[in-house]
Amino acid sequence: MAVSLKQMQYALAVARNGHFGRAAEACAISQPALSQQILALEDLCGTPLFDRLRSGIRLTPFGREFVAMAQEVVKRAEALDAFVLGHSGRPDRPIRFGLIPTVAPYLLPDIFPALTSGLPGLDFTISESRTEALIAGLIDGSLDVALIGTAPPDSGPTLVSRPLFEDPFVLATSSSDGTKEPVSLASLAPERILLLDEGHCFRDQTIAACRLGNDPARTFAATSLSTIVEFVANGQGVTLLPRIALRKEANDPRIAIHDLLSPGAGRLLSLVWREATPFGSTFEAMAEVIRATRPNG
């Protein structure tokens, strides 16, 4: 039995996400199904590809070599697939669309219906992951297009980036906090600023905006903005929020939202894809639809 392309894609997803559950979500299959495929692949190879750790997974030495070779095979297969489909400029399969976690829950309710109605005949497979994993997905061909909130890296394959719109930050405090606005970022007590856990670009943007240094000591780091907002509502700190999140995260009367003193802080949301794709015109059209669906915040 030969190693299948699908097994290689699953192995790359696990390596990219560092977690079987997140890899299964990105591949739009159940975790047991993905785990079964990885076990079958490891059985075929005669050795494990991954060390299973309490904190996640780690590539074995054999796994690192396998992933490096599989990336090339999958990349060539994706290129062949794109070549075959590219005569029409539109794929005849779902577009694999990734978004960062600090965007997906706030924009998808608006942009997904707009994309499906504004671009009839196109289907989408949606996944949510951190910026690093999305960029890796674009590079290895497991994603077609991604919506991110930071500049794509300069190294590696050329990526096309199209700006969508600015997303300013605001300060969230407890409604009993008594904060006066506009708020100067320099006036915030660093020890009171609550952050997302490492790997989120929004965490890095908050650290930079509040000048917290390269390695701020924290006993608390949340996996989602919703978790942070709950702590803020209970008076256990303050946080920056992207304006697109306010409809969902600022409905609690225990929360007060404050504008920042100029120049404030924010991020530019962008749509990114590989330059070497036959579907560039489709992704340009996606960007136009998303711009037109920009929420008021």
Side-chain angles (χ1 to χ4, degrees), residues 105-262:
Y106 312 120
L107 284 192
L108 274 178
D110 293 319
I111 68 172
F112 187 70
L115 287 170
T116 54
S117 63
L119 301 172
L122 289 182
D123 294 318
F124 296 89
T125 298
I126 305 295
S127 61
E128 180 181 312
S129 196
R130 299 179 185 184
T131 302
E132 183 179 355
L134 294 181
I135 295 298
L138 293 175
I139 291 172
D140 68 29
S142 59
L143 279 180
D144 296 311
V145 62
L147 202 165
I148 61 176
T150 188
D154 294 329
S155 59
T158 303
L159 299 178
V160 174
S161 178
R162 292 291 182 263
L164 299 174
F165 53 85
E166 295 282 350
D167 184 23
F169 298 162
V170 296
L171 181 72
T173 70
S174 166
S175 57
S176 60
D177 191 86
T179 300
K180 305 296 183 184
E181 62 180 55
V183 178
S184 167
L185 288 170
S187 70
L188 300 178
E191 66 275 7
R192 296 202 68 219
I193 300 172
L194 302 178
L195 300 172
L196 289 170
D197 61 7
E198 292 184 7
H200 288 277
C201 60
F202 185 69
R203 170 192 170 94
D204 299 333
Q205 291 160 345
T206 300
I207 289 172
C210 299
R211 300 181 182 180
L212 299 181
N214 294 327
D215 187 26
R218 288 290 184 274
T219 58
F220 170 84
T223 58
S224 72
L225 291 178
S226 296
T227 301
I228 289 182
V229 167
E230 186 60 33
F231 274 77
V232 170
N234 289 324
Q236 296 172 289
V238 302
T239 196
L240 294 186
L241 288 177
R243 188 168 290 279
I244 63 168
L246 296 188
R247 286 185 300 171
K248 181 177 175 64
E249 304 295 356
N251 290 325
D252 192 326
R254 298 175 298 162
I255 292 288
I257 299 299
H258 310 277
D259 289 330
L260 300 178
L261 184 67
S262 181

Side-chain angles (χ1 to χ4, degrees), residues 66-87:
F66 179 92
V67 163
M69 296 179 69
Q71 283 176 332
E72 292 301 315
V73 175
V74 170
K75 189 184 303 181
R76 289 179 178 274
E78 293 284 345
L80 179 60
D81 183 43
F83 173 76
V84 172
L85 298 173
H87 67 281

